[in-house]
Each structure stands twice: as structure tokens, then as C-alpha cells.
Amino acid sequence: SYELTQPPSVSVSPGQTARITCSGDALPKKYAYWYQQKSGQAPVLVIYEDSKRPSGIPERFSGSSSGTMATLTISGAQVEDEADYYCYSTDSSGRVFGGGTKLTVL
Amino acid sequence: QVQVVQSGAEVKKPGASVKVSCKASGYSFASYYIHWVRQAPGQGLEWMGWINPNSGGTNYAQKFQGRVTMTRDTSISTVYMELRRLKNDDTAVYYCAREFSGWFDPWGQGTLVTVSS
């Protein structure tokens, strides 16, 4: 079955840039989406269609995709950005999430 | 406002079945697919499948085929997810979510299903 691969964890200091990657063979043809999930809460969409930002999401969140890798970038990460981040995409049989990346900001 | 509201927590024994409901409001129920996603304690998100509320058509992740059934009742704008032959590792929070233009929005509040003897 199709898989999306993310690093288990990323750690940055406040104000630094955090980059979270997501690799998958179908990403050259399929959009990547990114969700943020804070403890005990439902996920929230932060990036859609590789690089678009929903209304209400801070400008420090951006996305890009090249070849088989999509990247979520948080420029000037804040303490409140500490959360789990999941990439998400589609494949021929349905939908798939990456394994998730725990972002620590301290 | 657009929302989906799920039924409450369940405790089940191994081998039993569970049926979780998801009631939609604030939009045209038949116009958007509903997906089910689960999250085991301390684990990541796992997509289970979708239902087309208009036709009743479904698509299940291979892992759950034969054990899950998604249905809908259009008269009350509600979809259901039934999981059978429960095992301890089916213990998870189960979310429903509307698919909107390729992504999930909104999500339900989640339903904790605990499987324990």
C-alpha cells in the first residue's frame, strides 16, 4: 500500500525555521496537505494543495513540493506551534496520512 | 455553522461490534463525502474510508475491508461507521470529517472507543 514518510521529530528554538518533510512516490502527481494536531484536539488544516494557506493560518506557515517530497516550513516558529504535524495525500485506492512529526519548539 | 457531531464514548469487549454516528448540520448533507479517521493512543492518524452520502457508495481502506461498514440516513443527515470483531488494538479515537475541496473540514469532536475484556 502507498506510504507517506515523515521524520518522527523535529526540534527548533523559538524564532528559528522548522522544516518538516514528507516523501511519497505519488507526490509528483498528487497534492500534499498538512494538518496540525495539538494534544487532545482534532487536526487543523494548515496547508492545502501543496502550498496554499487557509484563511486564519499565520503567514509563517508555508508549503512546497518538488518531485517525491513535500515540505512544510514554519518560519520563525513560535512556542504555540509545538504540535504533531501530518502530511496527507491521495492514492488510487483512497487517502493516506504520513506517520506524523512531533515538532518541539524550545 | 458547518459542523459534524459524533456520538459518545463506547466501551466494548473483544469480538463485539461498535457503531459510531456522525450528524452533519449547516450544509447540504448529500453534497460532500464523509470520511472516517482513527487515532490509537499515542499514535498517528489512520484513514479508514469514506461514504458518499448522496449515493451511499463507499470506499474502505484495505486494512478494514470485511470488518467495517459505513452507512447513512439522509432523513437525519447522519452517517454511521460500524466496526466488527473488535480487538484490543482497535482502541482509538474515531473521527468523522467532511471532505471539502480535497481536504477534511470540519472534523467531528472524536469518539473514544475502548476495547477491553
Side-chain angles (χ1 to χ4, degrees):
Chain A
S1 62
Y2 183 48
E3 292 186 355
L4 296 174
T5 302
Q6 300 179 234
S9 62
V10 168
S11 182
V12 297
S13 299
Q16 288 188 326
T17 295
R19 293 183 179 85
I20 299 172
T21 58
C22 172
S23 65
D25 289 342
L27 289 180
K29 304 176 203 171
K30 300 290 186 181
Y31 285 127
Y33 301 77
W34 291 92
Y35 289 93
Q36 175 196 68
Q37 187 182 35
K38 296 185 177 179
S39 182
Q41 299 181 19
V44 172
L45 183 75
V46 294
I47 293 290
Y48 67 99
E49 294 179 359
D50 292 343
S51 59
K52 299 176 182 177
R53 193 174 55 249
S55 61
I57 299 302
E59 291 184 8
R60 63 180 180 272
F61 288 86
S62 63
S64 62
S65 187
S66 178
T68 59
M69 184 166 291
T71 302
L72 172 68
T73 300
I74 308 172
S75 303
Q78 306 295 308
V79 172
E80 61 263 32
D81 299 330
E82 190 163 287
D84 295 323
Y85 290 84
Y86 295 90
C87 62
Y88 158 86
S89 189
T90 59
D91 71 354
S92 58
S93 60
R95 309 288 190 271
V96 62
F97 287 95
T101 298
K102 181 175 182 59
L103 175 65
T104 301
V105 182
L106 55 75
Chain B
Q1 73 277 28
V2 175
Q3 61 179 353
V4 289
V5 178
Q6 300 180 223
S7 50
E10 303 262 13
V11 179
K12 297 292 182 180
K13 294 192 183 305
S17 299
V18 68
K19 192 169 186 178
V20 181
S21 68
C22 172
K23 182 174 176 60
S25 62
Y27 71 95
S28 174
F29 174 70
S31 299
Y32 299 92
Y33 286 19
I34 294 285
H35 293 246
W36 290 89
V37 176
R38 77 176 187 179
Q39 186 169 37
Q43 302 300 309
L45 302 171
E46 182 174 31
W47 179 77
M48 299 181 67
W50 56 250
I51 181 168
N52 177 344
N54 184 41
S55 67
T58 55
N59 180 28
Y60 305 138
Q62 188 170 13
K63 174 177 179 176
F64 300 102
Q65 285 181 7
R67 215 161 59 94
V68 71
T69 302
M70 297 176 190
T71 56
R72 93 290 193 211
D73 184 339
T74 56
S75 68
I76 55 171
S77 301
T78 299
V79 301
Y80 303 91
M81 186 283 299
E82 181 180 34
L83 190 61
R84 300 178 293 279
R85 302 190 300 277
L86 290 168
K87 300 170 280 189
N88 288 340
D89 61 6
D90 290 318
T91 293
V93 175
Y94 289 76
Y95 293 101
C96 67
R98 182 188 72 159
E99 181 176 354
F100 179 80
S101 296
W103 61 87
F104 299 148
D105 180 65
W107 294 65
Q109 80 276 22
T111 297
L112 176 62
V113 175
T114 303
V115 183
S116 174
S117 55

mmCIF file of all heavy atoms in Angstrom, chain A residues 5-37:
data_model
loop_
_atom_site.group_PDB
_atom_site.id
_atom_site.type_symbol
_atom_site.label_atom_id
_atom_site.label_comp_id
_atom_site.label_asym_id
_atom_site.label_seq_id
_atom_site.Cartn_x
_atom_site.Cartn_y
_atom_site.Cartn_z
ATOM 1 N N THR A 5 6.164 9.193 4.121
ATOM 2 C CA THR A 5 7.170 9.060 5.167
ATOM 3 C C THR A 5 7.577 10.419 5.720
ATOM 4 O O THR A 5 7.973 11.310 4.946
ATOM 5 C CB THR A 5 8.408 8.330 4.621
ATOM 6 O OG1 THR A 5 8.019 7.041 4.130
ATOM 7 C CG2 THR A 5 9.452 8.147 5.720
ATOM 8 N N GLN A 6 7.463 10.558 7.029
ATOM 9 C CA GLN A 6 7.861 11.786 7.710
ATOM 10 C C GLN A 6 8.902 11.465 8.777
ATOM 11 O O GLN A 6 8.899 10.358 9.336
ATOM 12 C CB GLN A 6 6.667 12.436 8.426
ATOM 13 C CG GLN A 6 5.516 12.839 7.555
ATOM 14 C CD GLN A 6 4.394 13.455 8.378
ATOM 15 O OE1 GLN A 6 3.253 13.021 8.299
ATOM 16 N NE2 GLN A 6 4.721 14.478 9.171
ATOM 17 N N PRO A 7 9.754 12.437 9.145
ATOM 18 C CA PRO A 7 10.646 12.210 10.289
ATOM 19 C C PRO A 7 9.811 12.195 11.566
ATOM 20 O O PRO A 7 8.828 12.934 11.681
ATOM 21 C CB PRO A 7 11.571 13.435 10.249
ATOM 22 C CG PRO A 7 10.778 14.477 9.533
ATOM 23 C CD PRO A 7 9.932 13.753 8.537
ATOM 24 N N PRO A 8 10.166 11.360 12.535
ATOM 25 C CA PRO A 8 9.361 11.293 13.766
ATOM 26 C C PRO A 8 9.365 12.591 14.571
ATOM 27 O O PRO A 8 8.367 12.905 15.222
ATOM 28 C CB PRO A 8 10.028 10.166 14.569
ATOM 29 C CG PRO A 8 10.779 9.385 13.568
ATOM 30 C CD PRO A 8 11.205 10.346 12.500
ATOM 31 N N SER A 9 10.468 13.312 14.520
ATOM 32 C CA SER A 9 10.551 14.514 15.339
ATOM 33 C C SER A 9 11.453 15.561 14.698
ATOM 34 O O SER A 9 12.375 15.239 13.943
ATOM 35 C CB SER A 9 11.085 14.176 16.741
ATOM 36 O OG SER A 9 12.390 13.656 16.656
ATOM 37 N N VAL A 10 11.128 16.808 14.995
ATOM 38 C CA VAL A 10 11.927 17.969 14.608
ATOM 39 C C VAL A 10 11.932 18.908 15.805
ATOM 40 O O VAL A 10 10.891 19.101 16.448
ATOM 41 C CB VAL A 10 11.330 18.675 13.373
ATOM 42 C CG1 VAL A 10 11.985 20.031 13.150
ATOM 43 C CG2 VAL A 10 11.475 17.803 12.128
ATOM 44 N N SER A 11 13.086 19.472 16.084
ATOM 45 C CA SER A 11 13.195 20.375 17.227
ATOM 46 C C SER A 11 13.891 21.660 16.806
ATOM 47 O O SER A 11 14.917 21.619 16.118
ATOM 48 C CB SER A 11 13.982 19.680 18.340
ATOM 49 O OG SER A 11 14.064 20.494 19.475
ATOM 50 N N VAL A 12 13.322 22.795 17.204
ATOM 51 C CA VAL A 12 13.921 24.095 16.910
ATOM 52 C C VAL A 12 13.759 24.997 18.122
ATOM 53 O O VAL A 12 12.917 24.746 18.997
ATOM 54 C CB VAL A 12 13.274 24.775 15.679
ATOM 55 C CG1 VAL A 12 13.498 23.936 14.413
ATOM 56 C CG2 VAL A 12 11.796 25.045 15.897
ATOM 57 N N SER A 13 14.528 26.057 18.139
ATOM 58 C CA SER A 13 14.359 27.093 19.161
ATOM 59 C C SER A 13 13.360 28.119 18.650
ATOM 60 O O SER A 13 13.181 28.266 17.427
ATOM 61 C CB SER A 13 15.701 27.772 19.455
ATOM 62 O OG SER A 13 16.638 26.847 19.949
ATOM 63 N N PRO A 14 12.704 28.826 19.551
ATOM 64 C CA PRO A 14 11.762 29.862 19.114
ATOM 65 C C PRO A 14 12.432 30.871 18.184
ATOM 66 O O PRO A 14 13.566 31.302 18.434
ATOM 67 C CB PRO A 14 11.328 30.518 20.431
ATOM 68 C CG PRO A 14 11.506 29.454 21.457
ATOM 69 C CD PRO A 14 12.717 28.679 21.016
ATOM 70 N N GLY A 15 11.727 31.204 17.107
ATOM 71 C CA GLY A 15 12.259 32.156 16.143
ATOM 72 C C GLY A 15 13.020 31.505 15.001
ATOM 73 O O GLY A 15 13.267 32.149 13.974
ATOM 74 N N GLN A 16 13.402 30.248 15.160
ATOM 75 C CA GLN A 16 14.089 29.543 14.087
ATOM 76 C C GLN A 16 13.085 28.994 13.080
ATOM 77 O O GLN A 16 11.873 28.965 13.321
ATOM 78 C CB GLN A 16 14.933 28.402 14.659
ATOM 79 C CG GLN A 16 16.166 28.856 15.405
ATOM 80 C CD GLN A 16 17.059 27.675 15.770
ATOM 81 O OE1 GLN A 16 16.593 26.564 16.047
ATOM 82 N NE2 GLN A 16 18.370 27.922 15.778
ATOM 83 N N THR A 17 13.620 28.552 11.954
ATOM 84 C CA THR A 17 12.782 27.959 10.917
ATOM 85 C C THR A 17 12.736 26.448 11.077
ATOM 86 O O THR A 17 13.771 25.797 11.181
ATOM 87 C CB THR A 17 13.322 28.317 9.518
ATOM 88 O OG1 THR A 17 13.218 29.736 9.322
ATOM 89 C CG2 THR A 17 12.535 27.599 8.435
ATOM 90 N N ALA A 18 11.517 25.933 11.095
ATOM 91 C CA ALA A 18 11.311 24.493 11.185
ATOM 92 C C ALA A 18 10.873 23.981 9.821
ATOM 93 O O ALA A 18 10.008 24.582 9.176
ATOM 94 C CB ALA A 18 10.245 24.170 12.224
ATOM 95 N N ARG A 19 11.486 22.901 9.413
ATOM 96 C CA ARG A 19 11.110 22.255 8.149
ATOM 97 C C ARG A 19 10.763 20.804 8.416
ATOM 98 O O ARG A 19 11.553 20.069 9.009
ATOM 99 C CB ARG A 19 12.224 22.369 7.123
ATOM 100 C CG ARG A 19 12.485 23.793 6.637
ATOM 101 C CD ARG A 19 13.560 23.835 5.569
ATOM 102 N NE ARG A 19 13.778 25.200 5.098
ATOM 103 C CZ ARG A 19 14.581 26.073 5.701
ATOM 104 N NH1 ARG A 19 15.253 25.727 6.780
ATOM 105 N NH2 ARG A 19 14.714 27.285 5.204
ATOM 106 N N ILE A 20 9.586 20.414 7.938
ATOM 107 C CA ILE A 20 9.115 19.043 8.103
ATOM 108 C C ILE A 20 8.876 18.480 6.717
ATOM 109 O O ILE A 20 8.149 19.075 5.917
ATOM 110 C CB ILE A 20 7.829 18.992 8.943
ATOM 111 C CG1 ILE A 20 8.089 19.572 10.343
ATOM 112 C CG2 ILE A 20 7.316 17.568 9.042
ATOM 113 C CD1 ILE A 20 6.837 19.736 11.180
ATOM 114 N N THR A 21 9.484 17.336 6.446
ATOM 115 C CA THR A 21 9.381 16.752 5.115
ATOM 116 C C THR A 21 8.419 15.581 5.079
ATOM 117 O O THR A 21 8.111 14.955 6.111
ATOM 118 C CB THR A 21 10.756 16.273 4.623
ATOM 119 O OG1 THR A 21 11.263 15.318 5.555
ATOM 120 C CG2 THR A 21 11.725 17.442 4.494
ATOM 121 N N CYS A 22 7.954 15.289 3.874
ATOM 122 C CA CYS A 22 7.016 14.199 3.638
ATOM 123 C C CYS A 22 7.349 13.615 2.272
ATOM 124 O O CYS A 22 7.283 14.340 1.265
ATOM 125 C CB CYS A 22 5.598 14.735 3.679
ATOM 126 S SG CYS A 22 4.302 13.582 3.178
ATOM 127 N N SER A 23 7.729 12.357 2.233
ATOM 128 C CA SER A 23 8.091 11.771 0.946
ATOM 129 C C SER A 23 7.119 10.686 0.542
ATOM 130 O O SER A 23 6.652 9.898 1.383
ATOM 131 C CB SER A 23 9.521 11.220 0.992
ATOM 132 O OG SER A 23 9.613 10.152 1.899
ATOM 133 N N GLY A 24 6.823 10.650 -0.734
ATOM 134 C CA GLY A 24 5.888 9.657 -1.257
ATOM 135 C C GLY A 24 5.992 9.578 -2.770
ATOM 136 O O GLY A 24 6.118 10.610 -3.437
ATOM 137 N N ASP A 25 5.904 8.386 -3.302
ATOM 138 C CA ASP A 25 6.124 8.187 -4.727
ATOM 139 C C ASP A 25 5.102 8.906 -5.599
ATOM 140 O O ASP A 25 5.394 9.259 -6.751
ATOM 141 C CB ASP A 25 6.109 6.693 -5.056
ATOM 142 C CG ASP A 25 7.331 5.970 -4.523
ATOM 143 O OD1 ASP A 25 8.335 6.657 -4.214
ATOM 144 O OD2 ASP A 25 7.285 4.730 -4.397
ATOM 145 N N ALA A 26 3.899 9.106 -5.087
ATOM 146 C CA ALA A 26 2.849 9.710 -5.908
ATOM 147 C C ALA A 26 2.808 11.226 -5.805
ATOM 148 O O ALA A 26 2.017 11.872 -6.505
ATOM 149 C CB ALA A 26 1.479 9.126 -5.542
ATOM 150 N N LEU A 27 3.637 11.803 -4.941
ATOM 151 C CA LEU A 27 3.564 13.252 -4.738
ATOM 152 C C LEU A 27 3.840 14.081 -5.994
ATOM 153 O O LEU A 27 3.350 15.209 -6.094
ATOM 154 C CB LEU A 27 4.490 13.670 -3.590
ATOM 155 C CG LEU A 27 4.017 13.244 -2.193
ATOM 156 C CD1 LEU A 27 4.993 13.714 -1.128
ATOM 157 C CD2 LEU A 27 2.617 13.769 -1.903
ATOM 158 N N PRO A 28 4.612 13.578 -6.955
ATOM 159 C CA PRO A 28 4.741 14.385 -8.186
ATOM 160 C C PRO A 28 3.414 14.600 -8.908
ATOM 161 O O PRO A 28 3.272 15.545 -9.680
ATOM 162 C CB PRO A 28 5.699 13.555 -9.049
ATOM 163 C CG PRO A 28 6.511 12.780 -8.071
ATOM 164 C CD PRO A 28 5.553 12.451 -6.949
ATOM 165 N N LYS A 29 2.435 13.702 -8.658
ATOM 166 C CA LYS A 29 1.158 13.791 -9.359
ATOM 167 C C LYS A 29 0.002 14.174 -8.441
ATOM 168 O O LYS A 29 -1.082 14.500 -8.941
ATOM 169 C CB LYS A 29 0.816 12.453 -10.002
ATOM 170 C CG LYS A 29 1.852 11.903 -10.947
ATOM 171 C CD LYS A 29 1.433 10.522 -11.426
ATOM 172 C CE LYS A 29 2.623 9.716 -11.904
ATOM 173 N NZ LYS A 29 2.287 8.311 -12.167
ATOM 174 N N LYS A 30 0.196 14.085 -7.150
ATOM 175 C CA LYS A 30 -0.890 14.317 -6.200
ATOM 176 C C LYS A 30 -0.514 15.450 -5.250
ATOM 177 O O LYS A 30 0.650 15.602 -4.870
ATOM 178 C CB LYS A 30 -1.156 13.047 -5.375
ATOM 179 C CG LYS A 30 -1.564 11.841 -6.202
ATOM 180 C CD LYS A 30 -2.941 11.998 -6.794
ATOM 181 C CE LYS A 30 -3.389 10.720 -7.482
ATOM 182 N NZ LYS A 30 -4.749 10.873 -8.086
ATOM 183 N N TYR A 31 -1.529 16.205 -4.847
ATOM 184 C CA TYR A 31 -1.302 17.273 -3.886
ATOM 185 C C TYR A 31 -0.964 16.725 -2.501
ATOM 186 O O TYR A 31 -1.423 15.648 -2.107
ATOM 187 C CB TYR A 31 -2.541 18.142 -3.746
ATOM 188 C CG TYR A 31 -2.797 19.085 -4.883
ATOM 189 C CD1 TYR A 31 -4.028 19.109 -5.528
ATOM 190 C CD2 TYR A 31 -1.822 19.974 -5.318
ATOM 191 C CE1 TYR A 31 -4.289 19.996 -6.554
ATOM 192 C CE2 TYR A 31 -2.062 20.854 -6.363
ATOM 193 C CZ TYR A 31 -3.298 20.856 -6.972
ATOM 194 O OH TYR A 31 -3.542 21.724 -7.997
ATOM 195 N N ALA A 32 -0.185 17.524 -1.776
ATOM 196 C CA ALA A 32 0.049 17.256 -0.357
ATOM 197 C C ALA A 32 -0.730 18.272 0.460
ATOM 198 O O ALA A 32 -0.899 19.434 0.065
ATOM 199 C CB ALA A 32 1.537 17.352 -0.028
ATOM 200 N N TYR A 33 -1.201 17.806 1.594
ATOM 201 C CA TYR A 33 -1.910 18.648 2.563
ATOM 202 C C TYR A 33 -1.214 18.448 3.909
ATOM 203 O O TYR A 33 -0.650 17.388 4.178
ATOM 204 C CB TYR A 33 -3.379 18.231 2.684
ATOM 205 C CG TYR A 33 -4.153 18.297 1.387
ATOM 206 C CD1 TYR A 33 -4.011 17.309 0.417
ATOM 207 C CD2 TYR A 33 -5.025 19.345 1.125
ATOM 208 C CE1 TYR A 33 -4.702 17.365 -0.778
ATOM 209 C CE2 TYR A 33 -5.729 19.407 -0.063
ATOM 210 C CZ TYR A 33 -5.560 18.421 -1.006
ATOM 211 O OH TYR A 33 -6.251 18.479 -2.193
ATOM 212 N N TRP A 34 -1.301 19.469 4.759
ATOM 213 C CA TRP A 34 -0.668 19.396 6.068
ATOM 214 C C TRP A 34 -1.676 19.755 7.156
ATOM 215 O O TRP A 34 -2.382 20.753 7.063
ATOM 216 C CB TRP A 34 0.515 20.358 6.149
ATOM 217 C CG TRP A 34 1.677 19.950 5.290
ATOM 218 C CD1 TRP A 34 1.923 20.340 3.997
ATOM 219 C CD2 TRP A 34 2.753 19.081 5.660
ATOM 220 N NE1 TRP A 34 3.085 19.763 3.547
ATOM 221 C CE2 TRP A 34 3.612 18.989 4.546
ATOM 222 C CE3 TRP A 34 3.080 18.379 6.818
ATOM 223 C CZ2 TRP A 34 4.782 18.219 4.567
ATOM 224 C CZ3 TRP A 34 4.227 17.617 6.833
ATOM 225 C CH2 TRP A 34 5.062 17.537 5.718
ATOM 226 N N TYR A 35 -1.684 18.901 8.188
ATOM 227 C CA TYR A 35 -2.536 19.132 9.353
ATOM 228 C C TYR A 35 -1.667 19.312 10.588
ATOM 229 O O TYR A 35 -0.653 18.635 10.750
ATOM 230 C CB TYR A 35 -3.480 17.948 9.577
ATOM 231 C CG TYR A 35 -4.567 17.825 8.547
ATOM 232 C CD1 TYR A 35 -4.398 17.032 7.419
ATOM 233 C CD2 TYR A 35 -5.769 18.515 8.689
ATOM 234 C CE1 TYR A 35 -5.387 16.924 6.477
ATOM 235 C CE2 TYR A 35 -6.771 18.410 7.740
ATOM 236 C CZ TYR A 35 -6.569 17.613 6.638
ATOM 237 O OH TYR A 35 -7.556 17.508 5.690
ATOM 238 N N GLN A 36 -2.125 20.191 11.447
ATOM 239 C CA GLN A 36 -1.525 20.384 12.757
ATOM 240 C C GLN A 36 -2.464 19.799 13.796
ATOM 241 O O GLN A 36 -3.669 20.038 13.753
ATOM 242 C CB GLN A 36 -1.343 21.882 13.033
ATOM 243 C CG GLN A 36 -0.828 22.231 14.417
ATOM 244 C CD GLN A 36 -1.043 23.702 14.724
ATOM 245 O OE1 GLN A 36 -2.173 24.177 14.879
ATOM 246 N NE2 GLN A 36 0.055 24.457 14.806
ATOM 247 N N GLN A 37 -1.921 19.020 14.717
ATOM 248 C CA GLN A 37 -2.752 18.477 15.788
ATOM 249 C C GLN A 37 -2.094 18.723 17.126
ATOM 250 O O GLN A 37 -0.994 18.241 17.382
ATOM 251 C CB GLN A 37 -3.003 16.981 15.604
ATOM 252 C CG GLN A 37 -4.001 16.413 16.615
ATOM 253 C CD GLN A 37 -4.227 14.932 16.464
ATOM 254 O OE1 GLN A 37 -3.322 14.178 16.125
ATOM 255 N NE2 GLN A 37 -5.458 14.488 16.715
#
